[in-house]
Amino acid sequence: DTSSNCTATLRCSPQLEDATMGPEGTGASTGSPRILIIDDEEVIRELLADFLTSHGYEVALAHSGEDGVKASREKPFEIVLVDYGLPGIHGIDVCRRIAAYNASSRLILMTGWGSMEAAERESCINQVIAKPFDLLEILKTLRALAPVPERPA
């Protein structure tokens, strides 16, 4: 048998689940755009969080639509990445609820469900991204919506 298995382990600070990341994971604001990732799949949340913090964004995570709506009410985010297939409140309703009280948040719906014509017709959703996604494409999209400020040398 020439096949092989590969296992990847992503390590992420436990603070990410509850706090916005700042310098060294302190939660302190850096002036960087704030992003909330709402996804029920832990590996997706952690992968995106690690990748986006390494590119200068402050990231907070929520594992359900309810938690995501609550977090975005407590402190606004420039961008909210929302999984379509959330248990409980599905992604489109999460976007509607966030947009109802924070029209300035840019809402991106992530989906592995194929065609999302209904989501694309929602005025509150700025972009739909298909899963599996390319991290560099997500970064390009986020930089267009909320660029990371240059840091002085």
Side-chain angles (χ1 to χ4, degrees):
D1 183 12
T2 59
S3 66
S4 63
N5 292 328
C6 179
T7 302
T9 302
L10 299 173
R11 302 220 185 275
C12 188
S13 168
Q15 296 169 315
L16 279 175
E17 289 299 319
D18 300 317
T20 304
M21 298 302 292
E24 291 79 52
T26 63
S29 177
T30 62
S32 297
R34 293 172 32 83
I35 297 176
L36 174 62
I37 300 168
I38 308 171
D39 199 307
D40 59 321
E41 293 183 56
E42 183 178 11
V43 69
I44 299 293
R45 289 192 313 268
E46 291 182 358
L47 173 70
L48 285 170
D50 285 348
F51 180 74
L52 295 175
T53 55
S54 74
H55 283 86
Y57 290 95
E58 289 187 47
V59 177
L61 304 175
H63 68 277
S64 70
E66 293 88 353
D67 287 345
V69 169
K70 180 182 175 190
S72 64
R73 283 188 180 172
E74 291 172 359
K75 199 168 184 184
F77 293 87
E78 283 83 6
I79 297 176
V80 182
L81 292 165
V82 183
D83 181 36
Y84 174 78
L86 293 168
I89 309 171
H90 71 76
I92 293 176
D93 283 339
V94 170
C95 290
R96 287 178 186 147
R97 290 179 188 193
I98 292 172
Y101 60 84
N102 190 352
S104 65
S105 286
R106 309 296 292 195
L107 301 168
I108 299 173
L109 191 69
M110 304 178 294
T111 181
W113 294 80
S115 175
M116 289 301 301
E117 292 176 21
E120 291 168 350
R121 287 192 298 266
E122 288 289 328
S123 61
C124 66
I125 297 173
N126 299 97
Q127 183 137 5
V128 177
I129 295 176
K131 286 181 179 180
F133 46 74
D134 179 306
L135 289 173
L136 294 178
E137 284 301 314
I138 287 183
L139 183 60
K140 182 178 172 183
T141 298
L142 297 180
R143 283 186 172 158
L145 295 174
V148 175
E150 293 289 324
R151 294 190 180 174

